[in-house]
């Protein structure tokens, strides 16, 4: 099932999501649907709040279907280590049409559970590190625009308000 993507302005995107405690078939189905919804929206990462589900689940595939082994399921993720620095344009499916340069660590180690509840650690760099940080932020109710200057953020918010008024958001 493909879920519609929740857009900026919906409070679910700015509230911390709840931890997952039950690893059942419903969870597996939700993870599957999240991949499907992410691909349908042409994204490389999706967090559950972005489909209106306030739970600590995110999916990532920076290869966009090229490599099945690259599919990453992050449940209850915690960033345990960061290193270095990278700066690159970043966007978000919930804030379509906008992109801004964001500086983040270049290497990240995340500890998370998979859809079976099994704990694992994964280290990624560059785009993967960026995606892991971006999606983990989502689960803490934090959007990438919190990492840009207040001036740029206000400008973006003003443009979005206009789009909302015009019924185009
Ligand atoms: Zn996002």
């Amino acid at each position: 099932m493909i879920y519609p993507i929740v857009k900026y302005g919906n409070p679910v995107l700015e509230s911390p999501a709840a931890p997952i405690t039950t690893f059942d078939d419903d969870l597996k189905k939700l993870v599957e649907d999240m991949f499907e919804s992410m691909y349908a929206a042409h994204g490389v990462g999706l967090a559950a709040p972005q489909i209106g589900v306030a739970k600590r689940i995110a999916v990532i595939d920076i290869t966009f279907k090229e490599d099945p082994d690259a599919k990453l399921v992050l449940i209850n993720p915690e960033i345990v280590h960061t290193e270095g620095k990278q700066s690159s344009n970043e966007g978000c499916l919930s804030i379509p049409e906008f992109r801004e340069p964001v500086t983040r660590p270049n290497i990240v180690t995340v500890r998370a559970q998979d859809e079976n509840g099994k704990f694992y650690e994964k280290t990624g760099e560059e785009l993967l590190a960026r995606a892991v940080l971006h999606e983990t932020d989502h689960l803490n109710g934090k959007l990438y625009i919190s990492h840009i200057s207040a001036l740029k953020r206000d400008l973006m918010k003003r443009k979005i308000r206009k789009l909302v008024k015009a019924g185009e958001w």
Side-chain angles (χ1 to χ4, degrees):
M1 176 188 163
I2 295 171
Y3 286 86
I5 307 294
V6 169
K7 285 187 182 174
Y8 176 68
N10 187 315
V12 73
L13 293 174
E14 290 176 277
S15 322
I20 298 296
T21 51
T22 309
F23 294 82
D24 56 8
D25 286 347
D26 288 347
L27 179 73
K28 289 186 181 76
K29 171 80 175 110
L30 181 58
V31 166
E32 221 173 89
D33 288 346
M34 283 179 64
F35 274 111
E36 213 183 315
S37 305
M38 177 184 81
Y39 293 133
H42 305 287
V44 294
L46 182 75
Q50 293 183 278
I51 54 163
V53 176
K55 292 180 180 171
R56 301 185 80 80
I57 314 167
V59 296
I60 290 173
D61 178 3
I62 59 161
T63 74
F64 199 82
K65 300 187 204 178
E66 283 286 309
D67 177 7
D69 293 335
K71 286 171 82 176
L72 202 59
V73 177
L74 297 171
I75 297 178
N76 302 326
E78 301 289 345
I79 304 297
V80 292
H81 182 74
T82 62
E83 216 179 300
K85 221 186 223 188
Q86 60 167 318
S87 199
S88 179
N89 264 343
E90 199 164 315
C92 178
L93 292 176
S94 295
I95 315 175
E97 311 297 331
F98 291 90
R99 291 185 82 75
E100 287 292 340
V102 177
T103 301
R104 293 191 184 266
N106 194 43
I107 301 172
V108 167
T109 302
V110 63
R111 183 170 191 265
Q113 284 165 282
D114 66 13
E115 63 271 46
N116 299 307
K118 196 176 159 226
F119 281 95
Y120 70 94
E121 269 191 20
K122 171 96 182 166
T123 298
E125 56 177 38
E126 294 174 3
L127 181 57
L128 182 56
R130 178 173 295 280
V132 165
L133 290 163
H134 180 113
E135 301 312 330
T136 305
D137 269 357
H138 266 302
L139 304 181
N140 295 322
K142 198 170 171 184
L143 298 167
Y144 84 88
I145 58 171
S146 66
H147 297 289
I148 66 176
S149 75
L151 196 72
K152 279 187 177 171
R153 189 164 54 244
D154 287 347
L155 192 66
M156 199 190 265
K157 284 183 180 176
R158 215 174 306 152
K159 285 182 186 165
I160 291 170
R161 270 199 297 274
K162 270 191 195 157
L163 289 169
V164 171
K165 259 192 195 159
E168 287 165 17
W169 190 250

